[in-house]
């Protein structure tokens, strides 16, 4: 289970252990290859996010896009 919800000006990510493993794998792919990763609910043609809200007053987020920002030229770790 992995859900992303919005409520009271807060984004909530709720997960069980398999959901956490999935999120970690997606973040590792992002770190290794850059770019971005998409996680979506079945309603949005995905299978990464579940549609069972954890907060009854929250709004379910159907599409989460996680992007790795490009390094600034003068930032630590930038390649010149």
């Amino acid at each position: 289970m992995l859900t992303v919800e919005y409520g009271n000006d807060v984004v909530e990510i709720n997960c069980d252990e398999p959901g956490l493993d999935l999120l970690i794998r997606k973040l590792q792919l992002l770190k290794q290859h850059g770019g971005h990763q998409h996680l979506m609910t079945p309603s949005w043609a995905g299978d990464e996010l579940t549609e069972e809200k954890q907060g009854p007053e929250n709004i379910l987020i159907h599409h989460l896009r996680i992007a790795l920002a490009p390094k600034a030229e003068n930032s630590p770790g930038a390649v010149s």
Side-chain angles (χ1 to χ4, degrees), residues 1-2 13-29 39 48:
M1 181 260 310
L2 178 61
I13 298 175
N14 299 288
C15 58
D16 57 10
E17 197 165 327
L20 181 59
D21 291 339
L22 172 66
L23 184 57
I24 289 169
R25 282 194 309 275
K26 290 289 189 174
L27 292 173
Q28 287 173 333
L29 283 170
L39 293 91
E48 302 87 5

Side-chain angles (χ1 to χ4, degrees), residues 28-42:
Q28 287 173 333
L29 283 170
L30 187 61
K31 184 176 181 179
Q32 292 169 358
H33 303 289
H36 61 274
Q37 292 287 315
H38 294 271
L39 293 91
M40 292 182 265
T41 61

